[in-house]
Every structure is written in structure tokens, then in C-alpha cells.
Amino acid sequence: MQLLKKMIGWALAGLLTLAAGEAYSAPKTVLVLGDSLSAGYGLTHGVGWVTLLQQRLSNEKIAVTVINASISGDTTSGGKARLEPLLAAHKPDVVVVELGANDALRGLPLSETENNLNAILSAAQDIHARTLLLGMRIPPNYGTAYTRQFAELFVNVAKARKSALVPFFLDRVAEQPALFQADRLHPNEQAQAMLLDNVWPYLKPLLQK
């Protein structure tokens, strides 16, 4: 009897070790729904943060395929409109949403942006995908109230949908002009690794679940 108990204990310990070692073993798909910041606008092909994400996953031997469904100039309305076929085609395990900056640049109503982001996260969660919303901010010249409310809407949406949230996608980048292209809107190649580092701590736990 004592020997049987020991054998069962060894077997359970082996299974736990195997499970821990294979936390990422099941292949997963990450869908990135974004605008020019994720589409790699103005960058040499293959240096954008989404491509760097795929490289990091491969280097860490995490079995994940990244689908970059980002389009330059896209708004939350555009992202919402094209999401359903993307979900049907790719059946992602995680959906990363990087949208909203173009809404602000066009002066669209904040309520519209918030409603669209809610709808996007809701649609992704309806197919049991985990979601990560990338928070954005805009320069203070848009007005104190609008700037504050725009930043807060990402927090509000993430709370409402119980979604993971990157507080500010351009953290450590926005305040450094040298990290932007000539248009002063799009981060340059040097900034891409920093953008990935801003996303990674929030994305990695979603891949382990």
C-alpha cells in the first residue's frame, strides 16, 4: 500500500511538472486589430512591433500565430465593421485592440468611440477570446477636458468588459520626439521594441491561461 501511494505521488508530480513546462504548448492565435501604429506605417517591412511580437514568441518557443489585421487610418467604427469576418476566419484566442487615435484626430464624439470599443471587445469575448485593449492619449492642445475624457474612456471600456488594459500604448515613446518619424505622429523603427515592451507584460498572461 505504501509503495502504491508513492507511485501515485510520483505520477502526480510528473504530471504537474509536465503541465508547468507546457503552459504555452497548445497552439494559439492572436489577432491584432489596429490602425497605422500597428500596421507599420512608414516603416521598413518586418520591423513593426507586431512583427517583433511574433519573433519574441518564436524565440521563447511559445506556440502562437499572430495575425496582423491593422489598417492605416482605421477608426473604431471601421474596426467594428470588419471584425466579424476576422473572428470567423481566424477564431483567435486573444484579440488585441489598438484603435481610437484616429477617432480623436478627426474629433469624433467620445461616446461613439467608447461604444465602438465596447462592441469590439464584446464581439471578441462572445467567441470566448481574451481581450487586450491598448490605451491611448492625445496631446493637450485638444483641450484639457477632451484629453482627460479620451484617456479615461479606455479605462472605462476595459472595466465594463473586464478586459486587460495597457494603460498607455505609447508610454516612454510619446515624450521623445527623436522616436517619431518626420510626421511627428508615427513612432519610428527605434521605438518599435519599446512599444512591444509596453504590450508584452499584459499580453503574456493571457497566453498562459
Side-chain angles (χ1 to χ4, degrees):
M1 180 63 71
Q2 192 65 26
L3 178 59
L4 179 59
K5 287 182 179 179
K6 285 184 178 180
M7 291 176 67
I8 292 173
W10 293 336
L12 287 173
L15 287 172
L16 288 173
T17 301
L18 181 62
E22 296 184 355
Y24 301 101
S25 61
K28 293 181 175 67
T29 299
V30 171
L31 175 70
V32 179
L33 185 74
D35 52 35
S36 56
L37 298 178
S38 297
Y41 176 87
L43 300 174
T44 304
H45 179 71
V47 302
W49 78 269
V50 179
T51 302
L52 297 182
L53 169 61
Q54 183 69 81
Q55 293 172 1
R56 179 173 294 186
L57 291 164
S58 298
N59 291 340
E60 296 199 13
K61 295 181 171 53
I62 300 174
V64 174
T65 298
V66 179
I67 306 295
N68 193 356
S70 302
I71 297 178
S72 292
D74 206 7
T75 61
T76 56
S77 177
K80 183 179 73 170
R82 61 193 181 86
L83 179 60
E84 187 174 343
L86 290 170
L87 295 177
H90 302 293
K91 297 177 175 57
D93 300 279
V94 178
V95 176
V96 179
V97 181
E98 182 275 299
L99 289 169
N102 289 314
D103 293 45
L105 290 175
R106 299 180 186 186
L108 299 179
L110 294 175
S111 58
E112 180 181 323
T113 300
E114 187 166 348
N115 289 339
N116 288 336
L117 288 174
N118 263 305
I120 289 170
L121 296 184
S122 179
Q125 292 169 353
D126 282 347
I127 66 159
H128 307 294
R130 292 175 289 281
T131 56
L132 176 60
L133 180 62
L134 307 192
M136 293 298 299
R137 297 175 191 169
I138 53 175
N141 58 290
Y142 280 79
T144 304
Y146 188 87
T147 301
R148 174 178 53 80
Q149 292 167 11
F150 180 76
E152 287 176 349
L153 77 82
F154 291 90
V155 177
N156 295 337
V157 171
K159 270 185 189 174
R161 299 309 316 164
K162 294 182 172 57
S163 172
L165 171 71
V166 174
F168 182 31
F169 179 44
L170 298 181
D171 187 36
R172 299 175 302 122
V173 174
E175 61 268 26
Q176 299 189 58
L179 294 178
F180 283 82
Q181 299 176 42
D183 61 10
R184 298 184 182 181
L185 289 174
H186 297 91
N188 60 24
E189 181 175 342
Q190 184 183 352
Q192 299 304 307
M194 297 172 68
L195 297 179
L196 174 57
D197 286 341
N198 289 341
V199 173
W200 183 247
Y202 301 91
L203 175 60
K204 188 176 181 180
L206 300 181
L207 301 174
Q208 291 176 298
K209 291 182 180 179

